[in-house]
């Protein structure tokens, strides 16, 4: 069988690309249904983009690479598409947009766009050997127990990263990149809970608090959640994409509060109160109990000097913790790293050294923040690759 374009991976990026790549496009996936990550995202309502999307919301060794695609297919373009299909949506917080009803609406929309473009979809199809004769790709596909040889002018790799392996995630995209001489930035889990081998936070499991979490000089202000294995919550997930094993993370438990004047006032008006009781009016009581094992919180508030109060405030604003690891790909929402963008065109996503070979979506070394940014990269990279193919 011959086709103009073969796309490997029917996730967000692959579906988007298939809708725009022009005639004779075949999209394949080893799963039983397309868009599985879309289906489970956002608690089943799909955080499909973010109103504040900009290149600053992405991690890559080449921070400029994502600019072209994000500017040519923006969050507003995707919102227009959602509106055209009459899918109701709402902003939840921090620019995050969700479907009112179901993430399946987004999958159905992309399938409809594919159908309009006459693109084919083969599911439960595995990829075997891939060859290239200089002008065409030859790919062995295993479908319904039989090998099928596909010859394609263009090959688009949209196979995602390694996150959530129970949904079938593999490193196929990295293997294909290496086969064709493209370097790969070492992948690691991103947007993932951090763990501590000594179970130090196990007694705090379930406690949440607003905080500023900083890793490698990058800070995020949102909630943190203590778990039986360590730390989670939006601020921690965001920081985890910047954290590397062996490094310390700083937690500011007073991100928007100058507690010093408040403590001084308590010392004046209620000096006989226990210091921990006063702090428990500003932080969860269980957390204060835990902190009292590390910081000098004994005695009454009236016994504390200005220097002691200032020292505690400084400690609460810069609490260093050193994770032993993360929950790994099992719970990671994304993969940081991937196919090195230095080998790709930022305008088309085509490999510089192999005409007709494209990489899009999560398999690339472009990783978005939590909050719809990774889906926007899927839409943008899929669109520019599809349009480039359609115009050749």
């Amino acid at each position: 069988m011959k086709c103009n374009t073969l796309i490997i991976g029917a996730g967000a990026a692959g579906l988007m690309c298939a809708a725009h790549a022009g005639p004779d496009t075949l999209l394949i996936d080893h799963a039983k249904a397309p868009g599985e990550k879309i289906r489970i995202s956002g608690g089943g309502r799909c955080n499909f983009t973010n109103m504040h999307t900009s290149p600053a919301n992405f991690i890559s060794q080449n921070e400029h690479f994502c600019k072209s695609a994000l500017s040519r297919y923006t969050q507003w373009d995707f919102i227009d598409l959602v509106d055209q299909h009459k899918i109701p949506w709402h902003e939840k917080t921090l620019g995050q947009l969700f479907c009112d009803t179901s993430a399946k609406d987004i999958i159905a929309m992309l399938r409809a766009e594919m159908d309009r473009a006459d693109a084919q979809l083969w599911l439960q199809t595995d990829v075997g050997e891939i060859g290239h004769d200089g002008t065409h790709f030859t790919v062995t596909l295993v479908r319904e127990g039989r090998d099928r040889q596909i010859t394609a002018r263009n090959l688009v790799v949209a196979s995602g990263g390694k996150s959530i392996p129970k949904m079938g995630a593999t490193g196929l995209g990295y293997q294909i990149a290496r086969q064709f001489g493209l370097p790969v930035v070492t992948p690691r889990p991103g947007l993932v809970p951090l763990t501590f081998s000594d179970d130090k936070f196990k007694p705090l499991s379930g406690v949440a608090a607003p905080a500023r979490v900083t890793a490698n000089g990058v800070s995020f202000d949102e909630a943190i959640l203590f778990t039986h294995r360590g730390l989670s919550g939006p601020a921690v997930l965001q920081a985890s994409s910047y954290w590397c094993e062996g490094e310390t993370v700083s937690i500011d438990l007073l991100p928007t509060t100058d507690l010093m004047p408040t403590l001084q006032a308590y010392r004046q008006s209620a000096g006989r109160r226990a210091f921990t009781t006063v702090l428990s009016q500003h932080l969860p009581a269980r957390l204060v109990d835990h902190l009292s094992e590390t910081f000098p919180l004994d005695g009454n508030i009236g016994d504390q000097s200005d220097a002691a109060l200032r020292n505690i405030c400084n400690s609460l604003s810069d609490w260093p913790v050193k994770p032993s690891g993360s929950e790994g790909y099992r719970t990671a929402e994304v993969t940081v790293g991937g196919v090195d963008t230095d080998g790709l065109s930022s305008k088309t996503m085509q490999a510089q050294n192999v005409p007709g070979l494209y990489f899009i979506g999560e398999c690339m070394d472009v990783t978005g923040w939590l909050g719809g940014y990774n889906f926007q990269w899927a839409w943008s990279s899929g669109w520019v690759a599809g349009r480039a193919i359609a115009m050749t």
Side-chain angles (χ1 to χ4, degrees), residues 68-114:
S68 177
L70 291 173
S71 66
R72 289 166 58 211
Y73 191 87
T74 70
Q75 61 269 43
W76 310 114
D77 293 318
F78 194 78
I79 292 167
D80 284 345
L81 180 62
V82 170
D83 287 342
Q84 288 171 27
H85 284 260
K86 297 180 169 50
I87 298 173
W89 55 269
H90 62 279
E91 179 185 1
K92 191 171 182 181
T93 183
L94 301 173
Q96 301 168 13
L97 304 188
F98 289 78
C99 297
D100 283 359
T101 49
S102 171
K104 293 178 181 178
D105 292 344
I106 298 295
I107 300 172
M109 175 190 78
L110 295 168
R111 287 296 311 275
E113 292 290 307
M114 270 188 61

Side-chain angles (χ1 to χ4, degrees), residues 67-265:
K67 291 179 178 178
S68 177
L70 291 173
S71 66
R72 289 166 58 211
Y73 191 87
T74 70
Q75 61 269 43
W76 310 114
D77 293 318
F78 194 78
I79 292 167
D80 284 345
L81 180 62
V82 170
D83 287 342
Q84 288 171 27
H85 284 260
K86 297 180 169 50
I87 298 173
W89 55 269
H90 62 279
E91 179 185 1
K92 191 171 182 181
T93 183
L94 301 173
Q96 301 168 13
L97 304 188
F98 289 78
C99 297
D100 283 359
T101 49
S102 171
K104 293 178 181 178
D105 292 344
I106 298 295
I107 300 172
M109 175 190 78
L110 295 168
R111 287 296 311 275
E113 292 290 307
M114 270 188 61
D115 290 345
R116 192 171 71 173
D118 288 329
Q120 290 189 68
L121 173 63
W122 287 6
L123 297 169
Q124 295 179 278
T125 302
D126 294 314
V127 177
E129 291 187 5
I130 299 174
H132 187 243
D133 62 8
T135 58
H136 289 79
F137 296 90
T138 303
V139 183
T140 300
L141 300 179
V142 181
R143 187 171 189 242
E144 297 172 344
R146 293 172 49 203
D147 286 359
R148 298 174 183 240
Q149 298 293 326
I150 304 292
T151 301
R153 184 163 161 264
N154 303 293
L155 178 64
V156 182
V157 182
S159 53
K162 292 184 172 183
S163 55
I164 318 182
K166 70 178 181 181
M167 297 193 69
T170 68
L172 176 62
Y174 314 139
Q175 296 171 26
I176 297 172
R178 292 187 179 106
Q179 177 184 340
F180 288 98
L182 277 77
V184 175
V185 177
T186 304
R188 56 187 174 84
L191 300 181
V192 63
L194 300 177
T195 58
F196 295 78
S197 57
D198 56 5
D199 292 333
K200 64 189 297 180
F201 296 131
K202 193 171 185 178
L204 294 177
S205 182
V207 172
R212 177 177 297 136
V213 180
T214 303
N216 264 314
V218 183
S219 301
F220 295 93
D221 287 34
E222 280 192 82
I224 61 171
L225 173 68
F226 294 91
T227 71
H228 68 288
R229 295 193 63 192
L231 288 167
S232 188
V236 172
L237 296 182
Q238 295 276 39
S240 73
S241 294
Y242 291 86
W243 175 79
C244 294
E245 200 159 330
E247 295 177 345
T248 297
V249 172
S250 171
I251 301 176
D252 181 354
L253 294 168
L254 308 168
T256 60
T257 303
D258 182 3
L259 194 57
M260 184 68 178
T262 304
L263 294 180
Q264 289 172 321

Side-chain angles (χ1 to χ4, degrees), residues 58-60 65-66 335 337 339 341 361-362 364-368 374 377:
F58 294 85
I59 306 166
S60 175
F65 182 86
C66 64
T335 303
V339 180
T341 58
E362 191 186 342
M364 309 166 65
D365 177 34
V366 178
T367 306
N374 286 291
W377 176 246

Side-chain angles (χ1 to χ4, degrees), residues 307-320:
L309 293 179
R310 193 170 291 109
N311 181 54
I312 291 300
C313 289
N314 290 339
S315 296
L316 295 177
S317 297
D318 186 10
W319 178 26

